[in-house]
Structures are given as structure tokens and as C-alpha cells.
Amino acid sequence: TEVPMRRKDEPPTSVGSTALAERLPQRWIELVGETLFEFTGDPSSQATRRVVAIRSLAPLVKRQKTAGIPAAYRTAMLATAEERNPGQLDVVRSYLTAPDHSLYVYGHVGVGKTWIACCIGNDLLARGKTVRFQPLSGLLLDLRHTFSTEGQSERDVLRPFVEAEYLLLDEVGDIALEREPRASGFAASRLLTLLEERWREAKPTIMTSNQSVKRLVEWAGDERIGSRIVGMCGQAGVVELSGRDLRFG
């Protein structure tokens, strides 16, 4: 059975080069399980394709599990990526050229925000950086549990997310789902605490949200959150992602 091709280099398309490009061998990468294969030859012909490099991803997978990268996103890598919504890969490439600032990616459900965060995280893990992935809703739940758990404080819960070199904080807009004012205030204050601590340590945070920063501030009722996010990311680091809902194919 032929392995599905994930990516191949685009042949040159300038005038007069098409025929030559068709004769030149192509190079591309395919991901099979936890192994990356690099091929050369004709992708459409099993007889001409040749393996030129093999790399096991087992060490990376181990680091991904420690980082909390969801299994569904452990294959999110630039080397094998196919852009399914406009600008998706540009966001990843742009960030990884200088991953020294925070990033806030927002858009409607299913446009690929979490994929972007995990693609960035996987690349950073491959570089040997420490990364933690955490949906905000889960973090808030763990913080609430400290109210009824002896021997564990909120700071104990927050510590690994403050100490990680890079934090992938997923679905930050979930604080807008807190309908009750007291719950909303709790969510906003803990989010602000986490962002402030990471800002003081100059540690980048990659955030995803279904809310713009302005809308997030309106729901949270705390302008300090918006100020801190923009301060960490800069205007260029607040990115709106558009496109179709990829969860429906």
C-alpha cells in the first residue's frame, strides 16, 4: 500500500522551465507512524522513488507527551504540513523565525488555531525547548480544586506553567463562557496572574482564542488582560485566522 504523501516540493513554474522540472527528481517528506521518511524521485511512481533519509520521532513523541501535546496534534509539523486555511503556515513560519515574543491567534471554531499552537510547540520541542500545552478551562478547574484539596495551593498548580520556557495556552476565550460574575472574575484574575508572571520572566506564551482581544476584555470586564496580552504580543503578534471549519473536512 502506498504511503499517503504529506508534502512535496513545488516544481519551478517559470516560462521554459516546466519541461525541465518534470524531468528533475523531486524531494518530499512522508510521515509514517513515528518515523519521517525523505524521498527523491517521482512521487507518482513507486519504481522511481528512493529513500534518502529516515528519522525516528520517538524521542520527540516522548517530549510531546511530557509537554501535554494532544495525540491528535503530535503530527502537526511544518515538514509535513499542508495548508488548509489561508495564512495558517505563514503564522507558524513567521513566529518560528524569531520565537522570542508571545502570540495571540483568534478566529471562529475549527479554523486551525490549536493546530498552529501545537505546530509551533512541536518545532520548539524538537529544538530542545521546554513546552507546556494547557487549555485554559482545564487549568481553571485544577485551580478551583485547590479550594477543597489539602496540601496543594494555587501556586503549586500554576508553577509548571510559569516555569516552562513556552506555554501553549489554548482556548483563552473560554473565560467568556463564565456566565456568573463571580466565576468570570475568578477566571479573569487567574489568567491575569499567569500572564503577569510569565511576562515578568520574559517567557513567551502562545494563546489561542475564539474571541478578539477587545471582545475578551468586554466579557472579562478587566482591561488589564487586554493590555497585558497586547504588551506581550505586540500588535503584530495578535493574529486573526479566517477560513472554513476544518473539523467538517
Side-chain angles (χ1 to χ4, degrees), residues 41-97:
D42 180 356
S44 64
S45 171
Q46 288 279 15
T48 63
R49 60 167 52 190
R50 182 169 62 88
V51 177
V52 294
I54 300 175
R55 181 162 68 94
S56 171
L57 296 182
L60 175 60
V61 171
K62 183 177 180 180
R63 291 196 293 273
Q64 288 173 320
K65 291 178 179 179
T66 301
I69 302 291
Y73 294 103
R74 289 175 195 159
T75 58
M77 289 177 274
L78 275 176
T80 57
E82 291 179 348
E83 187 166 65
R84 295 185 292 168
N85 268 332
Q88 204 177 28
L89 298 186
D90 288 341
V91 174
V92 177
R93 291 191 186 102
S94 176
Y95 184 83
L96 290 175
T97 57

Side-chain angles (χ1 to χ4, degrees), residues 146-167:
T146 64
F147 298 160
S148 57
T149 304
E150 292 186 13
Q152 186 180 42
S153 66
E154 289 188 35
R155 182 156 295 278
D156 293 332
V157 173
L158 288 175
R159 184 175 294 113
F161 304 106
V162 172
E163 294 179 347
E165 291 179 85
Y166 292 86
L167 174 62

Side-chain angles (χ1 to χ4, degrees), residues 19-191:
L20 175 61
E22 290 175 350
R23 295 195 301 268
L24 292 175
Q26 298 180 39
R27 297 178 77 94
W28 72 97
I29 292 173
E30 294 180 3
L31 178 64
V32 182
E34 296 182 359
T35 305
L36 277 178
F37 292 86
E38 183 175 354
F39 292 90
T40 185
D42 180 356
S44 64
S45 171
Q46 288 279 15
T48 63
R49 60 167 52 190
R50 182 169 62 88
V51 177
V52 294
I54 300 175
R55 181 162 68 94
S56 171
L57 296 182
L60 175 60
V61 171
K62 183 177 180 180
R63 291 196 293 273
Q64 288 173 320
K65 291 178 179 179
T66 301
I69 302 291
Y73 294 103
R74 289 175 195 159
T75 58
M77 289 177 274
L78 275 176
T80 57
E82 291 179 348
E83 187 166 65
R84 295 185 292 168
N85 268 332
Q88 204 177 28
L89 298 186
D90 288 341
V91 174
V92 177
R93 291 191 186 102
S94 176
Y95 184 83
L96 290 175
T97 57
D100 56 0
H101 62 281
S102 294
L103 183 67
Y104 185 92
V105 181
Y106 70 98
H108 63 74
V109 173
V111 293
K113 304 181 297 293
T114 302
W115 186 93
I116 285 175
C118 290
C119 189
I120 290 172
N122 290 336
D123 191 284
L124 294 169
L125 285 168
R127 300 183 191 187
K129 304 296 184 180
T130 59
V131 175
R132 289 298 296 260
F133 174 92
Q134 178 62 52
L136 179 60
S137 58
L139 178 58
L140 292 174
L141 186 61
D142 289 342
L143 288 169
R144 288 189 177 101
H145 281 165
T146 64
F147 298 160
S148 57
T149 304
E150 292 186 13
Q152 186 180 42
S153 66
E154 289 188 35
R155 182 156 295 278
D156 293 332
V157 173
L158 288 175
R159 184 175 294 113
F161 304 106
V162 172
E163 294 179 347
E165 291 179 85
Y166 292 86
L167 174 62
L168 314 180
L169 193 59
D170 199 34
E171 299 296 357
V172 172
D174 278 0
I175 66 170
L177 301 178
E178 301 282 6
R179 302 295 183 182
E180 207 242 309
R182 182 176 178 183
S184 180
F186 172 86
S189 67
R190 271 49 175 193
L191 173 59

